[in-house]
Amino acid sequence: MNRDLICIICPRGCMLHVEEQNGELCVSGNACPRGKQYAIDECTNPLRTITSIVRVSNREDTMVSVKTANPIPKGKIFDAMEKIRAVSVEAPVKIGDVILNDVFGADIVATKDVE
Amino acid sequence: MVQHDIVIIGGGPAGMAAAVAAYDNGVKDVVILDREEDLGGILRQCIHNGFGLHKLGQELTGPEYAAVYKEKVKERGIKVFYESTVTAVSPDKIVTARNREGILKIQAKAVILAMGCRERSRGALNTPGTRPAGVYSAGTAQKLMNCEGYMVGKKVVILGSGDIGLIMARRMSLEGAKVEAVCEILPYSGGLNRNIVQCLEDYGIPLYLNTTVAEIHGTKRVEGVTIAQVDANRNIIEETKRYIDCDTLLLSVGLIPENELTREAGIAISPVTSGALVDENCQTSIEGIFACGNVLQVHDLVDYVSDEAERAGIGAVSYVLGENKGSISVATKAGKGVRYVLPQTVHTDSGKDTALFLRVTEPFGKVRFTVTSGDEILATAQRLKAAPGEMEKLIIPAEKLARVKEEIVVTLDELN
């Protein structure tokens, strides 16, 4: 294993280098510990936070924005989107309210208040 | 006419952070005017994550970042005039606004301009072709999709690789659209690296550099676009013309600070940033009028908008309370490799460490920035890379600044 990556954790966008040494992944180029974790995840089980919207059924033309409370496997993005698209929610909604439980290991939570 | 100490125009991230900073630093009579029915500005439609890592130490979506500041505004009881469009700011700080109740006139002691920016339009590009439906600015498409739940198209070409264009490429892909291409007329993307990775590469969307949209086809609805490469003078190379079938064209071709009120007030504007000329407290050429956020300079990170707005808020408090912020000032100047430096003037006797913000002219590898005044070096900083899309910050220590007599120049040197 020998890979160059651009860290996507923060806008700094560090250029990371990952090398396998004695069965362990060694990361360089990261400015913070989150970068190291990102590089290891990216080489073993790439993860992404997904954000989208869900319709508010009892308010006209109103959407509530949502996200996965933690990152989910990259390969499951479109399956997760399908589940998010299939639901609607009733106002009032508060930031952090769980809209869907356990979508590939993450709850889907509201990121906006709707009164 | 009503009177308030500090009047803030715009309730986006800049306006909210300025209001909170002004309140917390000793002026309680602060009001915000916003033309929308809710605070948050552009963050309301930015449902993606990545906000707040620097400023709040957590990764938030746009609406969540806005909610943090909305709560701060609410806790302090800061008065907000919603759906109130400011139509004039006079040099003697009378702010005129229009809302459902009629005309509102406020005599302010200090005014903070925080109106944000808007997108460059197709008209500004002179793209040839017909005028079919299906051509949107990326931000308009973002608002339609994220706030109103309206899907703008199914087969998409995006012109411009700024961050909004990249974010929308991913957003449309997630909703099932096919993004055929992102075209960038420059030899590099103006977007953040992380967005090229997580918005384009993740979804297999090609980014074509040195490429533009040469023609838009379709009569009622967009039916396709002709894309083509450009030469060093940005002229279209005929033999590279290629047709792409699509129903939607998104434009992400730059942002323009919304400075109509600023100009009408007679405030001096920089031709480079298209925002007001300011000192280190964000004070404009008219004493007591301050500017911050995207109306001052287009930012890439909201975290830095909040920081800048806090400086403006504190600057306005000092002005209202009659505190001395320094009386001797020198100009700053962009030297080799630097497109602009902000603030454009700096007080040398403020007694404070002072930050300079700048953008480079083009992408560079390893560089060193040097801040000089006459023969003296005031600050240096090295970076592994520098790009126009990423604002740089350099700090001049107070004791060095105190000795400055001449113009302050920032230059960039490439290192190997």
Side-chain angles (χ1 to χ4, degrees):
Chain A
M1 165 95 59
N2 202 334
R3 269 181 82 177
D4 289 309
L5 299 168
I6 291 169
C7 184
I8 63 168
I9 298 298
C10 90
R12 184 173 173 142
C14 290
M15 284 182 278
L16 308 176
H17 183 71
V18 189
E19 258 184 53
E20 196 171 331
Q21 286 174 1
N22 310 322
E24 260 188 59
L25 293 177
C26 295
V27 181
S28 56
N30 55 307
C32 79
R34 283 188 301 227
K36 184 179 175 184
Q37 190 58 47
Y38 167 76
I40 291 171
D41 287 342
E42 196 65 10
C43 293
T44 52
N45 177 30
L47 299 169
R48 294 291 184 270
T49 296
I50 297 303
T51 65
S52 190
I53 49 171
V54 166
R55 193 165 288 282
V56 181
S57 56
N58 56 343
R59 297 281 183 278
E60 202 179 334
D61 292 334
T62 301
M63 312 300 294
V64 61
S65 50
V66 299
K67 68 176 181 184
T68 54
N70 47 273
I72 61 166
K74 194 175 154 188
K76 297 292 182 194
I77 289 175
F78 284 98
D79 297 325
M81 279 300 295
E82 219 166 278
K83 289 182 189 287
I84 293 169
R85 247 196 306 274
V87 294
S88 63
V89 67
E90 272 192 25
V93 186
K94 281 279 189 210
I95 289 179
D97 282 359
V98 176
I99 310 280
L100 269 176
N101 277 304
D102 190 16
V103 175
F104 305 106
D107 288 341
I108 305 298
V109 297
T111 59
K112 183 179 134 179
D113 292 332
V114 180
E115 281 168 19
Chain B
M1 185 157 47
V2 289
Q3 302 196 345
H4 290 291
D5 285 349
I6 298 179
V7 174
I8 297 171
I9 304 172
M16 291 193 290
V20 169
Y23 187 96
D24 290 353
N25 283 277
V27 173
K28 307 296 177 196
D29 181 17
V30 180
V31 300
I32 300 174
L33 299 162
D34 196 281
R35 62 187 170 197
E36 301 282 330
E37 72 287 353
D38 196 6
L39 291 172
I42 203 66
L43 289 174
R44 298 170 68 206
Q45 67 189 63
C46 297
I47 64 164
H48 54 283
N49 62 324
F51 300 89
L53 273 164
H54 293 285
K55 186 75 186 161
L56 305 173
Q58 48 183 335
E59 188 176 30
L60 300 174
T61 64
E64 290 173 310
Y65 190 96
V68 169
Y69 280 88
K70 265 164 74 174
E71 190 56 36
K72 289 177 198 265
V73 168
K74 198 171 146 195
E75 278 167 12
R76 287 160 180 76
I78 294 168
K79 165 89 177 152
V80 184
F81 292 91
Y82 295 101
E83 296 182 297
S84 301
T85 304
V86 174
T87 53
V89 178
S90 72
D92 51 358
K93 296 180 269 297
I94 295 169
V95 177
T96 308
R98 179 183 53 76
N99 60 22
R100 285 177 200 277
E101 276 120 64
I103 303 285
L104 174 69
K105 269 189 185 292
I106 307 173
Q107 172 69 64
K109 289 182 184 163
V111 174
I112 300 177
L113 306 173
M115 294 88 80
C117 60
R118 62 163 167 263
E119 298 180 278
R120 278 180 77 200
S121 63
R122 179 182 175 185
L125 299 179
N126 287 321
T127 308
T130 49
R131 292 284 178 274
V135 182
Y136 297 90
S137 67
T140 301
Q142 186 180 46
K143 184 173 185 182
L144 288 169
M145 286 187 71
N146 295 346
C147 300
E148 294 172 28
Y150 174 77
M151 181 72 174
V152 297
K154 292 209 160 63
K155 272 180 86 132
V156 189
V157 170
I158 299 176
L159 175 60
S161 63
D163 285 313
I164 309 172
L166 300 178
I167 294 287
M168 281 309 291
R170 172 176 63 181
R171 182 79 190 105
M172 298 211 58
S173 301
L174 283 174
E175 291 293 355
K178 175 92 175 80
V179 180
E180 300 286 346
V182 175
C183 302
E184 171 59 60
I185 197 166
L186 294 174
Y188 54 87
S189 165
L192 297 171
N193 267 335
R194 70 192 294 249
N195 284 337
I196 294 178
V197 173
Q198 64 182 355
C199 298
L200 299 188
E201 290 175 13
D202 272 8
Y203 297 89
I205 300 167
L207 169 62
Y208 300 118
L209 300 175
N210 298 306
T211 299
T212 191
V213 170
E215 198 175 339
I216 300 170
H217 306 277
T219 46
K220 285 197 168 144
R221 176 82 197 189
V222 173
E223 288 166 11
V225 295
T226 300
I227 67 167
Q229 288 175 24
V230 295
D231 62 21
N233 299 318
R234 295 194 200 173
N235 292 319
I236 284 164
I237 305 171
E238 284 293 326
E239 57 272 26
T240 64
K241 276 190 173 175
R242 181 156 75 87
Y243 181 83
I244 300 183
D245 191 61
C246 63
D247 58 30
T248 303
L249 174 67
L250 298 190
L251 304 174
S252 175
V253 290
L255 299 167
I256 306 166
E258 204 161 333
N259 269 311
E260 283 70 18
L261 294 172
T262 319
R263 282 198 186 84
E264 277 174 36
I267 291 167
I269 301 274
S270 157
V272 187
T273 60
S274 303
L277 298 170
V278 291
D279 68 10
E280 75 278 11
N281 304 308
C282 300
Q283 181 166 259
T284 67
S285 62
I286 296 182
E287 267 195 23
I289 302 185
F290 297 77
C292 57
N294 283 347
V295 80
L296 176 59
Q297 57 174 338
V298 176
H299 289 256
D300 23 272
L301 295 187
V302 72
D303 304 62
Y304 298 156
V305 167
S306 301
D307 283 342
E308 186 172 88
E310 285 171 10
R311 287 195 300 280
I314 293 167
V317 166
S318 294
Y319 176 80
V320 168
L321 301 181
E323 292 167 358
N324 180 21
K325 299 290 278 188
S327 55
I328 309 163
S329 66
V330 296
T332 63
K333 188 181 155 190
K336 188 181 55 169
V338 178
R339 192 161 76 86
Y340 73 80
V341 179
L342 189 144
Q344 289 86 358
T345 60
V346 172
H347 290 100
T348 56
D349 56 344
S350 67
K352 289 198 179 123
D353 294 351
T354 298
L356 300 181
F357 299 85
L358 56 104
R359 284 184 191 277
V360 299
T361 52
E362 62 201 277
F364 292 100
K366 196 174 179 188
V367 297
R368 181 173 49 232
F369 292 104
T370 311
V371 185
T372 54
S373 174
D375 294 333
E376 189 169 14
I377 294 175
L378 306 175
T380 62
Q382 281 193 21
R383 300 282 186 271
L384 289 174
K385 60 185 169 58
E390 289 167 30
M391 190 186 291
E392 297 287 347
K393 177 182 179 181
L394 306 171
I395 307 234
I396 306 176
E399 69 276 10
K400 290 202 171 176
L401 192 59
R403 295 197 294 271
V404 166
K405 297 274 183 290
E406 296 171 49
E407 187 176 64
I408 295 170
V409 183
V410 183
T411 51
L412 171 153
D413 290 294
E414 285 185 84
L415 305 174
N416 292 315

